[in-house]
Amino acid sequence: MKREDFVKKTDAVLVEKSLLEVPLRTQKILEVFGKGKKVLDLGCSSGQITLAIQSQSNEVHGIELTPKAAELAKAKGLQVKVFDLNEGIPYPDCSFDAVHAGEIFTKIFDIK
């Protein structure tokens, strides 16, 4: 499937909602990241996990492929870039203390 088709056909927000229903998933993510970090959330969808990470006094930036999901995240006050991770990561190396990359492998199309 081409990237364009994936973006048109995939409801990233629906996928995100189902992932939040996995027992202890969010709790474990929050334990791992802790507090006071600068975190990059790759594939942040509508920002539910991003917001949870941020709620622990973390500075969080999100990257999302799907414009609709990114707009929902921005509406929550999150810093989100619409960007295709197949092109790299649009930040300089060593810009973050930690990276959350939950569920992005379905959006990486051109791994070489």
Side-chain angles (χ1 to χ4, degrees):
M1 179 182 300
K2 294 181 180 178
R3 275 178 277 223
E4 301 81 31
D5 295 335
F6 179 86
V7 171
K8 289 177 189 173
K9 293 181 180 182
T10 301
D11 186 343
V13 177
L14 182 61
V15 171
E16 179 186 38
K17 183 179 177 194
S18 66
L19 292 171
L20 289 172
E21 295 170 359
V22 176
L24 304 177
R25 185 175 196 271
T26 303
Q27 179 183 334
K28 189 62 177 174
I29 290 168
L30 296 178
E31 285 174 16
V32 168
F33 287 106
K35 299 180 180 192
K37 307 254 180 14
K38 187 172 180 184
V39 179
L40 179 60
D41 189 0
L42 303 176
C44 68
S45 189
S46 70
Q48 292 182 14
I49 294 289
T50 316
L51 205 55
I53 295 169
Q54 182 176 281
S55 75
Q56 294 195 142
S57 300
N58 291 304
E59 176 186 340
V60 187
H61 297 257
I63 296 177
E64 175 54 42
L65 176 65
T66 311
K68 177 183 172 184
E71 287 305 314
L72 291 170
K74 288 177 185 178
K76 294 173 182 160
L78 297 168
Q79 300 178 65
V80 178
K81 290 185 180 188
V82 175
F83 192 80
D84 183 348
L85 292 171
N86 290 285
E87 306 299 322
I89 295 177
Y91 294 96
D93 290 350
C94 303
S95 295
F96 297 91
D97 300 310
V99 176
H100 176 252
E103 311 306 321
I104 67 162
F105 293 109
T106 58
K107 297 174 183 138
I108 304 296
F109 296 91
D110 298 323
I111 295 175
K112 295 182 173 107

